[in-house]
Structure formats: C-alpha cells, structure tokens
Amino acid sequence: MAIILDGKKLSEKILHELEEKISNLDKKPSFAVILVGNDPASELYVNIKEKKSKLLGINFSKITYPENIDEKTLLKKIEELNKDDKIDAMLVQMPLPKHINAQNIIQAISPKKDADGITPENIGRISIGAEPFAYPCTPLGIVKLLEEYKIELQGKHAVIIGRSNIVGKPLAQMLLNKNATVTICHSKTKNLSQITKTADILISAIGSPKFVKKDMVKQNATVIDVGTSKSKGKTLGDVDFENVLPLSSYITPVPGGVGPMTIACLMKNVLEISRLRLY
Ligand code: NAP
C-alpha cells in the first residue's frame, strides 16, 4: 500500500519554522497582493494569503482594482511597488480579465520582488541551472515534498501532464536540474497513457477530476496530484485516488497534498526575498 505524501503536515512544519524566523526579525517582511475584479475564487485565494501572512507576522497589503481597470494603470502600480522600499515582495492574483495581457504584467514585476517566482528572469535562471531569487511556489512545494520523503530523482523518469508556465514547465526544469529524465505531456500528446505508464514519478497538473486512472500508472510509481477542481463543494484532484493508491508507492492526496505546500512555499519566498534587500 502506498505511503501518503502528507503536504499538510510538511507545510505546517515549514510555516512554523518561518514564524519562528520572522518573530526574531527587527524588520518584518512586507508583502503586497494586487487583486483585480471580484472573482470569488481569486478573492478566496487572496484571503488565504492574507490570513497566512498575518499569522506569520508578515506585513500584508491588499491593493484592489475593479474589473475594468486598464493595463497601463496596473503597470504603473507595479512600477511604484518595484520602487517602494517598504515593499519586499508582491504578486498579482491570476487570472486577470481578458483585456489585460498577463505576460506584460508578470514581466513588469521586479524578479527580486517576485513572490510567485514566475517572472522571466527567475524562470530563465532555473532553465540555465542558476539560482533564481524565488522558485515558482507549486513546483517548489512538490520538490520539497519529494525531498522530505527522500524520493530519489536522479536517473528516474518523471512524466508531467500539463505544460503551464506556473507548474508544468518550471517543474520540468527543476526536476531536470535534479538529474531526472523528464517528459512533458499536454492536450495534444498522442498515446498519453503509454507514456505515463513509463513514469517512475508521475505528476498531473491539468485540472480534470479523476483523469489519471490506474491503467495509466506503473506499479510502484510516485504519483503527485496538482489538479484542483471543484465539484459540489468538494475539491477533486486529477488522479483517481482510490484506484491508483494500491499500485503506487507514494501518492499525494487532494486536498492535503500539493495545495498546502504551495502556500507554505509562497510564504517562504516572501521571507527569503525580503532578506535579499538587506545585502
Ligand atoms: P493550465 O494553465 O490550465 O494548464 C493545464 C495544462 O493541462 C495544459 O498544458 C493543457 O494542455 C494540459 N491538459 C489539459 N487537458 C489535458 C488532457 N486531457 N491531457 C493532457 N494534458 C491536458 O493549468 P495550471 O495553472 O497549470 O493548473 C493545472 C491544475 O493544477 C488546475 O486544476 C489548477 O487548479 C491546479 N493548480 C493547483 C495548485 C495547487 O497549489 N494545488 C497550484 C497551481 C495549479 P495544453 O497546453 O495543450 O492546453
């Protein structure tokens, strides 16, 4: 029977360590989040970030704009925050309204204040095997979870389903940097299950409930479920957990796996990039 990768427990450990470190600082980290519009899911995510920040002693500020804000005003605000010595870290809650080019917004954020670790410079640094100022939170959470359970990556075949800029692509680079052999699959991939069946480590980040069935998984594989879909008030992962559990060696639950690790790693990023500005 598989070992459950307990992201909740590890995230609590990380948050506790962060709280202790922050309590010893004279100057507390400051974190600004920009929220555009009234999307309930985005509001919920920002509230979680605010709650966690405040619990850890991080100075949190929320900047809200109406749905119809223009890109220029948003870019001007980011430029202001980039220059503001009182702000250590920031993020813009995604998704943005369609009339705003999200790439332009991400590119405007200083890589040294990039709490999400998704600016081109930070992603580029990872791609050349250099240290970024901050790693993207979800891939970092996954790597920390694999490390905690001492899951070997070197020489292993990691198959990632999903090629988004915030999960699939940066995770592929990070696993490659740890000497895994990496395959990325996406919606146009042919013979998907033939590929996933060769994975020692299978990561699914697509957002389709119970998409990964047991006949797609190799015996004794490690299965990481990034997907989160809402159905009748329940949060569902991409993996058909009950049926995949018996044949895997390690598996993440949803909820309680990758999700809490993402928020813990965001808080870790905020603290770490706030330290950059001291030197
Ligand atoms: P995204 O930008 O929508 O990307 C989804 C990816 O999945 C795309 O690359 C897409 O392929 C691929 N895909 C979709 N259907 C597929 C299929 N049937 N077969 C193979 N590939 C398929 O999503 P994201 O932002 O990476 O998020 C993915 C999921 O993870 C969502 O459920 C999201 O809520 C969740 N998530 C969770 C956390 C967390 O902390 N737990 C963090 C981030 C995201 P194409 O590129 O070809 O379209």
Side-chain angles (χ1 to χ4, degrees):
M1 186 61 106
I3 293 173
I4 308 282
L5 298 172
D6 193 341
K8 190 165 181 289
K9 189 168 153 204
L10 178 57
S11 70
E12 280 163 3
K13 186 174 137 198
I14 293 170
L15 290 170
H16 182 70
E17 285 166 6
L18 292 174
E19 191 180 1
E20 234 174 61
K21 281 187 190 161
I22 293 169
S23 70
N24 290 322
L25 296 174
D26 293 334
K27 185 185 169 296
K28 308 297 179 201
S30 55
F31 179 29
V33 171
I34 299 179
L35 173 63
V36 179
N38 305 96
D39 173 46
S42 293
E43 280 177 352
L44 176 71
Y45 291 136
V46 171
N47 286 343
I48 294 170
K49 287 163 193 172
E50 177 169 10
K51 209 171 128 200
K52 285 279 183 255
S53 299
K54 289 184 171 166
L55 268 173
L56 299 184
I58 292 169
N59 293 323
F60 183 90
S61 45
K62 180 165 86 177
I63 300 151
T64 55
Y65 287 110
E67 184 85 13
N68 62 358
I69 188 176
D70 60 294
E71 191 172 313
K72 218 170 129 194
T73 311
L74 205 50
L75 289 169
K76 205 169 144 229
K77 185 70 198 174
I78 292 170
E79 206 35 57
E80 227 176 79
L81 295 173
N82 281 340
K83 289 185 185 143
D84 187 343
D85 280 344
K86 294 189 290 304
I87 298 296
D88 295 310
M90 71 169 111
L91 67 77
V92 180
Q93 185 64 44
M94 299 288 164
L96 286 168
K98 292 215 164 28
H99 66 277
I100 296 175
N101 181 327
Q103 275 312 328
N104 290 345
I105 299 302
I106 293 167
Q107 282 173 35
I109 297 171
S110 160
K112 292 187 177 176
K113 292 196 177 189
D114 172 20
D116 267 338
I118 56 168
T119 57
E121 177 165 348
N122 283 323
I123 296 292
R125 282 172 175 251
I126 296 168
S127 304
I128 59 165
E131 273 297 304
F133 297 111
Y135 282 94
C137 306
T138 303
L140 180 60
I142 293 169
V143 168
K144 294 251 166 251
L145 206 46
L146 293 170
E147 282 174 357
E148 175 75 7
Y149 285 84
K150 302 195 167 35
I151 295 166
E152 180 70 42
L153 287 168
Q154 179 151 313
K156 301 291 180 192
H157 186 202
V159 174
I160 302 169
I161 320 176
R163 56 173 163 181
S164 72
N165 289 339
I166 59 163
V167 186
K169 283 186 212 158
L171 178 62
Q173 292 294 345
M174 287 164 71
L175 298 181
L176 196 58
N177 291 346
K178 293 191 172 290
N179 296 326
T181 303
V182 183
T183 303
I184 308 182
C185 303
H186 47 79
S187 68
K188 308 292 183 292
T189 298
K190 294 209 164 50
N191 304 323
L192 181 69
S193 57
Q194 276 178 32
I195 300 169
T196 58
K197 256 202 120 53
T198 66
D200 301 307
I201 298 157
L202 177 62
I203 298 137
S204 184
I206 63 176
S208 180
K210 297 196 176 192
F211 178 88
V212 177
K213 305 280 190 234
K214 67 175 184 186
D215 59 3
M216 296 170 72
V217 181
K218 182 165 103 172
Q219 187 78 37
N220 293 327
T222 293
V223 181
I224 307 287
D225 192 349
V226 184
T228 47
S229 313
K230 291 277 177 203
S231 170
K232 296 179 194 150
K234 270 185 80 180
T235 304
L236 300 174
D238 287 350
V239 176
D240 181 7
F241 185 83
E242 289 76 34
N243 293 312
V244 171
L245 177 78
L247 73 137
S248 48
S249 57
Y250 295 91
I251 188 166
T252 57
V254 176
V258 175
M261 289 303 295
T262 298
I263 179 86
C265 288
L266 174 68
M267 296 295 116
K268 186 174 158 56
N269 280 351
V270 170
L271 174 62
E272 285 180 2
I273 54 184
S274 77
R275 301 296 86 198
L276 286 174
R277 285 156 37 74
L278 295 179
Y279 310 106

